[in-house]
């Protein structure tokens, strides 16, 4: 790594967030409250199983209770929603995470919408999205929140900057675009039908790559001195940007792994603790 480049170390940022959370968890324990996150996994997708296990382990390390519900691949929308309603009613449960993706027979949007807004710690409901758009979300989507947390931790200015986001998914590209807009960036959102993507990326002061294609963003597209946030995660620990080539042009960049990923998990824990504190007030 060139000494004039800033490596945006997500592992360090996540560690800092979790240290702060550990204090809050012990304060809750003194009141007899243990934050509890329920993860719901439907089916047997190995990557999803890994993600759910990582989230559960992160909870336990911090003293947050992690309850895991594993439903069969053949689960119907109605059966899944019934489980979510049960968790909504359970006063010991503070956060509900339905692992994406669910099997194709399930109406994922209907299942997400069944999650109580008070327990939507992963920011997947339409109401949560709308609150985020207004800058008022209790629990914004975790990866967008992680991206903002990294920029803030490194005191990277957002206001007045041109932020280009590649990707418009409801959990990542759209909400992070709105959060950057709410912080007074000028935001351009790109997607698969964007014409002249390389030119638009070349105008970015801050680039967020959320494409889902390994090493997709080329170094030659990047403006000299841009900040590059790689939200992508593809098999083989490969992000959505060509790291070595983008490193050469950027002033700061997140690695994969060790960038956005660990902070995303830290944000999920933070939202669960936030939710438990609200109940405990
Ligand atoms: P997604 O739902 O598949 O969305 C991908 C987006 O990229 C879509 O908006 C798509 O455009 C756009 N896109 C696809 N091909 C493109 C192209 N050739 N040019 C420009 N845009 C293109 O993916 P996602 O769930 O947002 O995830 C994006 C990435 O983030 C993945 O690598 C995923 O693994 C990663 N991720 C990481 C975390 C984390 O914790 N670090 C969490 C969630 C996701 P259209 O809308 O036109 O199809």
């Amino acid at each position: 790594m060139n000494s004039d480049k800033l490596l945006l170390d997500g592992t360090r940022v996540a560690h800092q967030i979790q240290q702060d959370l550990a204090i809050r968890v012990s304060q809750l324990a003194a009141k007899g409250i243990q934050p509890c996150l329920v993860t719901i996994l439907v089916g047997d997708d190995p990557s999803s199983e890994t993600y759910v296990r990582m989230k559960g382990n992160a909870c336990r390390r911090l003293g947050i209770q992690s309850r895991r519900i594993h439903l069969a691949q053949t689960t119907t929308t109605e059966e899944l929603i019934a489980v979510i309603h049960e968790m909504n009613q359970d006063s010991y449960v503070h956060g509900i995470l339905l692992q994406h993706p669910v099997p194709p027979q399930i109406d994922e949007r209907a299942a997400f919408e069944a999650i109580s807004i008070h327990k939507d710690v992963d920011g997947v409901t339409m109401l949560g999205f709308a609150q985020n758009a207004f800058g008022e979300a209790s629990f914004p989507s975790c990866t967008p929140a992680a991206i903002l947390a990294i920029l803030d931790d490194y005191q990277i200015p957002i206001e007045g900057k041109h932020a280009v986001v590649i990707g418009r998914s409801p959990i990542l590209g759209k909400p992070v675009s709105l959060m950057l807009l709410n912080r007074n960036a000028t935001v351009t959102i790109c997607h698969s039908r964007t014409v002249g993507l390389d030119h638009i990326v070349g105008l970015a002061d801050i680039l967020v790559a959320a494409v889902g294609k390994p090493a997709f963003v080329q170094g030659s597209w990047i403006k000299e001195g841009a900040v590059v946030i790689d939200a992508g995660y593809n098999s083989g620990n490969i992000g959505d940007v060509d790291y070595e080539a983008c490193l050469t042009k950027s002033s700061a960049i997140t690695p994969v792994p060790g960038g956005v990923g660990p902070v995303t998990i830290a944000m999920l824990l933070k939202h669960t603790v936030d939710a438990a504190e609200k109940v405990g007030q």
Side-chain angles (χ1 to χ4, degrees), residues 4-189:
D4 59 333
K5 308 285 178 184
L6 191 55
L7 178 79
L8 303 174
D9 181 355
T11 306
R12 183 194 62 72
V13 176
H15 185 67
Q16 177 67 54
I17 293 168
Q18 289 174 19
Q19 274 188 330
D20 295 345
L21 286 177
I23 297 167
R24 292 167 59 191
V25 169
S26 60
Q27 286 166 345
L28 281 166
K31 291 187 193 170
I33 299 168
Q34 185 184 26
C36 173
L37 175 72
V38 167
T39 56
I40 305 175
L41 174 66
V42 190
D44 305 311
D45 176 58
S47 307
S48 294
E49 283 196 36
T50 305
Y51 294 144
V52 164
R53 194 170 50 247
M54 283 167 65
K55 289 164 187 171
N57 290 343
C59 281
R60 279 186 286 275
R61 278 196 296 273
L62 215 62
I64 295 173
Q65 192 190 347
S66 166
R67 263 199 239 168
R68 186 176 165 186
I69 297 176
H70 192 167
L71 301 175
Q73 179 76 24
T74 52
T75 303
T76 64
T77 303
E78 293 69 27
E79 287 165 342
L80 174 57
I81 287 177
V83 170
I84 292 170
H85 282 161
E86 203 183 315
M87 293 303 109
N88 285 340
Q89 297 302 320
D90 187 331
S91 59
Y92 290 100
V93 171
H94 303 103
I96 300 171
L97 178 135
L98 172 60
Q99 184 63 44
H100 163 86
V102 292
Q105 77 278 8
I106 290 179
D107 180 344
E108 184 177 75
R109 177 46 45 200
F112 280 152
E113 291 309 313
I115 299 172
S116 158
I117 186 72
H118 305 294
K119 300 189 180 187
D120 179 21
V121 289
D122 203 23
V124 294
T125 61
M126 284 200 261
L127 180 55
F129 182 92
Q131 289 176 343
N132 187 40
F134 281 82
E136 291 175 1
S138 300
F139 312 123
S141 302
C142 292
T143 305
I147 291 169
L148 271 287
I150 292 171
L151 291 172
D152 286 343
D153 185 277
Y154 282 92
Q155 298 181 356
I156 292 170
I158 297 172
E159 179 163 327
K161 300 297 177 188
H162 185 190
V164 173
V165 177
I166 316 178
R168 57 174 167 179
S169 71
I171 56 143
L172 217 177
K174 273 184 194 153
V176 79
S177 301
L178 291 164
M179 290 165 89
L180 290 163
L181 179 65
N182 287 337
R183 294 284 298 272
N184 298 321
T186 301
V187 182
T188 304
I189 307 173

Side-chain angles (χ1 to χ4, degrees), residues 143 166-169 172 191-192 210-213 216 231-233 240 264:
T143 305
I166 316 178
R168 57 174 167 179
S169 71
L172 217 177
H191 47 80
S192 65
V211 197
K213 292 197 156 90
F216 176 77
Y233 186 78
D240 284 352
T264 296

